[in-house]
Every structure is written in structure tokens, then in C-alpha cells.
Amino acid sequence: VDEVIVVFPFEKSFYKKHGIDVLYMGNPILDQIEKSNFSFTYNSRKQIIALLPGSRKQEINAILPIMISLVDNFKNYQFVIAATNTFSKNFYNSFIGKKNVDIVFNQTYGLLKQSHAALVTSGTASLEAALLNVPQVVCYKTNILTYIVASNLINIKFLSLVNILMNRLIVKELIQYDLHVKNLTLSLSEILDIDNRKNIHINYDLLKEKIGKEGCSKQLAEYITK
């Protein structure tokens, strides 16, 4: 291998240890967000808290009920699920019951842009929320066997991309046993606090500086085809 193109800056040191040259121009998510029109058809008189429970059925089954369980503790806010067309409205409604939770389909960026805070299943969505300046709590839970095996095989400090990129705790992570209604309620309350939000936004600005600027997709395409 002569050179590897990577999409995260922390990958450079990994490949360097193995004697492989690496090119990092930025992350394509920046361009994806930049070109988004942030369409959002939902209106609310209350400030919105976005729920991003993931796109896989296993994730949603494990995480969405916990997210929804705290809704009654925050009656001054409107909770809205970022849903995917992979699943029906009835599927999501089976978790909601009579709780004050609405659903929007395929408008995740628009929802995040209009949200005061977010509860986010760990993955790319945590980085997207950060780049859109949304204070967040990162949630993750899987079946116990998978968790035990993964914990024994992989030794990592953080799970969310935001914290991995910054190599320190920027957003709260509630993983496996720590993900329950009491912890999630407390963590959401913390990111609704005005002083905490200021610190989060400062760290988000540092994150943006670290991963680069928009335009990397075009630059990479030109580099590959030259």
C-alpha cells in the first residue's frame, strides 16, 4: 500500500505506527451537512429534544424505550424521534404509547438544526449532532453477550466519535449498564443547563477546527482522479 486516505485525523497515528503513509483532507460529513437544505416540516411551540435511537432494529428495541421513559420528567419540552423509513410509524408508536413524543421521517439534519438538545445512539449521528451545535447525551446498549465479548476484545476509552476525536470527554456517554432512566434524566438536565451548554459549544468549536473545513469531498475526488 503506497498511501491510505482516511476520514478521521486520529487514524493518521495508527497507520504511521505501521509504516503506512496517510492522507487526511477532512471528513465528508462536513460537506454533507454543508449541502443540506435542513428541510423540516414539524412545528412546535416548545423547545425540541431530538431522539436519535439508531437505524437498526436491535438498537431501537434496546435504547428507545429508555429514551422515552424520561419524557414525563421534562414536560416543558417537545420530544421528537428522528425516524427512518426502514420502519413504519406503527413500529415507533409501539414504543411511544401515550407519551408526549412525535415522529419525523428522514429529516434528521432538519430536526437536529431545530433542536435544543438530543439523545443520540452512538455512531455517526453523535458527530453530526456536534457539527450542528446540538448538546447531546450519547447512549448505547446491546445484548449482554455482545457487550461482554466486545469489552474483552476491544480496549477503548470512549465510544462516541466526538470524544474519540478530541481524546477527552466532551459529551456524556451512557453505555450498557449506565444507560437507565435515572442517569439519562440527570445527564439530560445537565446539558440543558446554560453554563454547561456554553462549555459544550466551546468544545464543539475546537472539534470543528480539528477535523478541518468543508470541501474535502471535491479535493479527494480531484486527488484520486488526477
Side-chain angles (χ1 to χ4, degrees):
V1 178
D2 294 326
E3 190 172 48
V4 174
I5 296 173
V6 297
V7 294
F8 294 112
F10 62 78
E11 294 176 291
K12 293 188 291 185
S13 60
F14 172 82
Y15 282 102
K16 187 175 181 180
K17 289 178 183 177
H18 295 82
I20 299 174
D21 291 329
V22 167
L23 176 67
Y24 176 75
M25 291 185 175
N27 192 297
I29 291 177
L30 291 164
D31 296 329
Q32 191 173 334
I33 290 175
E34 178 68 18
K35 70 180 182 181
S36 174
N37 62 11
F38 300 108
S39 60
F40 193 54
T41 57
Y42 179 84
N43 293 309
S44 174
R45 293 182 180 180
K46 298 179 180 179
Q47 289 180 314
I48 294 173
I49 295 176
L51 303 180
L52 280 65
S55 57
R56 294 188 289 269
K57 192 171 185 178
Q58 180 180 331
E59 289 177 337
I60 297 171
N61 285 334
I63 297 169
L64 186 55
I66 303 172
M67 290 180 171
I68 290 176
S69 65
L70 56 67
V71 167
D72 290 342
N73 298 330
F74 298 89
K75 293 185 177 180
N76 292 329
Y77 296 89
Q78 178 62 57
F79 288 78
V80 181
I81 297 173
T84 169
N85 280 339
T86 304
F87 305 104
S88 69
K89 188 172 184 179
N90 286 338
F91 172 74
Y92 290 103
N93 278 331
S94 69
F95 297 96
I96 294 171
K98 296 182 180 180
K99 300 285 187 181
N100 178 32
V101 181
D102 284 328
I103 308 168
V104 296
F105 282 87
N106 297 325
Q107 298 182 67
T108 301
Y109 282 177
L111 172 59
L112 285 172
K113 192 75 171 177
Q114 298 299 322
S115 293
H116 191 64
L119 306 180
V120 182
T121 296
S122 182
T124 306
S126 65
L127 179 57
E128 292 169 327
L131 294 175
L132 290 169
N133 292 315
V134 186
Q136 62 182 295
V137 180
V138 172
C139 309
Y140 195 75
K141 191 170 190 176
T142 187
N143 71 70
I144 186 63
L145 182 59
T146 300
Y147 178 74
I148 291 173
V149 171
S151 298
N152 289 327
L153 291 177
I154 305 172
N155 181 25
I156 57 173
K157 290 165 60 178
F158 306 112
L159 190 62
S160 73
L161 280 173
V162 176
N163 294 335
I164 291 172
L165 283 162
M166 296 299 288
N167 196 30
R168 58 190 176 93
L169 194 67
I170 300 300
V171 296
K172 186 67 173 287
E173 297 182 355
L174 295 178
I175 310 302
Q176 203 64 19
Y177 306 113
D178 291 330
L179 181 59
H180 53 74
V181 63
K182 183 178 179 180
N183 277 351
L184 193 54
T185 298
L186 178 61
S187 298
L188 178 54
S189 297
E190 288 174 350
I191 65 171
L192 295 175
D193 177 79
I194 187 168
D195 291 328
N196 289 335
R197 294 174 67 82
K198 288 178 182 177
N199 288 331
I200 291 169
H201 286 134
I202 289 170
N203 285 319
Y204 280 174
D205 287 341
L206 295 173
L207 170 69
K208 292 171 188 175
E209 290 178 8
K210 191 162 190 173
I211 64 174
K213 298 180 180 180
E214 299 89 355
C216 67
S217 298
K218 183 179 179 181
Q219 293 174 21
L220 283 170
E222 290 174 347
Y223 178 82
I224 293 169
T225 57
K226 72 179 180 180

